[in-house]
Amino acid sequence: MKRREKKAVFITAYDYPTAMYADVAGVDMILVGDSVANTTLGFRSTTSVTMEDMIRHSGAVTRAVERAFVIGDMPYMSYQPSDEAAIRNAGRFIAEAGCDAVKCEGGERVAPRIRAMVDAGLVVMGHIGLTPQNLAQLGGYRVQGKTSRQVEALTADIKAIEEAGAHFVLLEAMPPEVGAALRESVEIPVYGIGAGPHVDGQLLILHDVIGMQDPGILKKPRFVKRYADVGSVIVDAVSRYSADVRSGVFPSEEHFYGG
Ligand code: KIV
């Protein structure tokens, strides 16, 4: 797609129905993000998610998908400790969950892990900029690449990721001119979430796009565009069902067996 100058559509999904709808809608790539922590499991931090959670959710997604390319997000501490841990856990996303590729967060310092996974035959996406697994070090949800020092560090990161053999990279939360410069600095496809328009494709979190997010757990970032208010649709449907049960309108004869 990059060679053909076509923008890739990339979205998260976490379970069978959300993946099925995203696939039917024709997205190119699906990330089973560790944002499942916030969107689906009710945690405040992605660091609460385990390998078992990710394998369970990734498997549900791949069972639903017929055409999109599915990437499993490696959870906190599944790749940081050693090359061996990285290869073993990345392999589980492929062998047990049926993913096409894995993603891990970090630049220069995870480059050796990326090299190890690529050498083991895996397809790997890098992820730099705002990396939620390192929120404490980053001082919270902050736009990255705002100073020349940060831009230098991001440039070194993306080059190290490409050099390590990553097949593509994701940029998160940075000014558009930084996204553009980083994209120009490497050959591999560069996707963005809040990194401006000058990249090879856009990622958004499905629950942000469809309006199914608890604002107490995750605030809607500036880069999000909301296309539906599914949360209100659910509240409305369940409220009307509740009213029908309480008033005796449901079940009516058409919902009875026999007769
Ligand atoms: O887990 C996720 O959805 C992600 C995106 C925020 C990039 O890693």
Side-chain angles (χ1 to χ4, degrees):
M1 290 185 77
K2 178 172 173 129
R3 269 195 297 273
R4 285 182 280 129
E5 294 183 12
K6 284 188 124 190
K7 299 272 186 189
V9 180
F10 193 10
I11 199 161
T12 64
Y14 311 96
D15 53 29
Y16 192 96
T18 57
M20 179 183 69
Y21 293 133
D23 196 48
V24 167
V27 301
D28 301 301
M29 304 196 298
I30 291 178
L31 174 69
V32 191
D34 61 358
S35 53
V36 68
N38 321 106
T39 59
T40 309
L41 299 176
F43 291 119
R44 284 182 192 270
S45 168
T46 58
T47 54
S48 303
V49 166
T50 65
M51 267 306 290
E52 301 316 314
D53 293 327
M54 292 308 301
I55 294 297
R56 179 64 89 190
H57 284 275
S58 300
V61 167
T62 61
R63 286 191 286 279
V65 165
E66 287 185 3
R67 38 163 308 285
F69 188 87
V70 180
I71 301 171
D73 205 7
M74 297 193 71
Y76 185 57
M77 288 301 147
S78 66
Y79 55 97
Q80 289 93 341
S82 67
D83 288 355
E84 195 273 334
I87 295 169
R88 184 164 29 79
N89 286 318
R92 291 190 62 194
F93 276 94
I94 313 301
E96 294 176 39
C99 290
D100 299 302
V102 294
K103 171 172 90 56
C104 62
E105 296 183 8
E108 277 187 299
R109 61 185 175 184
V110 304
R113 302 285 179 270
I114 293 176
R115 167 52 62 204
M117 290 188 280
V118 172
D119 284 349
L122 293 147
V123 178
V124 180
M125 173 176 278
H127 175 178
I128 58 170
L130 200 174
T131 45
Q133 292 177 12
N134 310 111
L135 269 198
Q137 283 187 347
L138 298 176
Y141 285 99
R142 287 173 196 277
V143 177
Q144 303 296 301
K146 287 179 87 173
T147 65
S148 52
R149 248 173 89 180
Q150 283 182 349
V151 174
E152 268 172 41
L154 287 169
T155 307
D157 281 339
I158 199 167
K159 290 189 171 187
I161 288 172
E162 181 176 58
E163 181 67 21
H167 300 80
F168 23 47
V169 62
L170 178 70
L171 310 179
E172 180 165 353
M174 59 189 67
E177 60 279 9
V178 178
L182 291 174
R183 186 214 179 226
E184 287 307 311
S185 70
V186 291
E187 299 286 320
I188 55 176
V190 176
Y191 307 114
I193 174 164
H198 311 295
V199 286
D200 300 308
Q202 297 291 332
L203 170 69
L204 282 179
I205 304 266
L206 175 78
H207 289 58
D208 288 338
V209 171
I210 66 174
M212 211 171 108
Q213 192 70 280
D214 179 350
I217 291 187
L218 215 53
K219 302 262 172 299
K220 178 169 126 7
R222 182 189 162 102
F223 58 76
V224 167
K225 183 167 176 185
R226 182 155 289 169
Y227 288 83
D229 189 1
V230 170
S232 301
V233 172
I234 293 174
V235 172
D236 177 58
V238 177
S239 302
R240 287 189 294 115
Y241 162 65
S242 306
D244 282 0
V245 170
R246 289 180 185 128
S247 66
V249 167
F250 177 83
S252 60
E253 214 170 317
E254 66 199 289
H255 307 111
F256 300 163
Y257 284 117

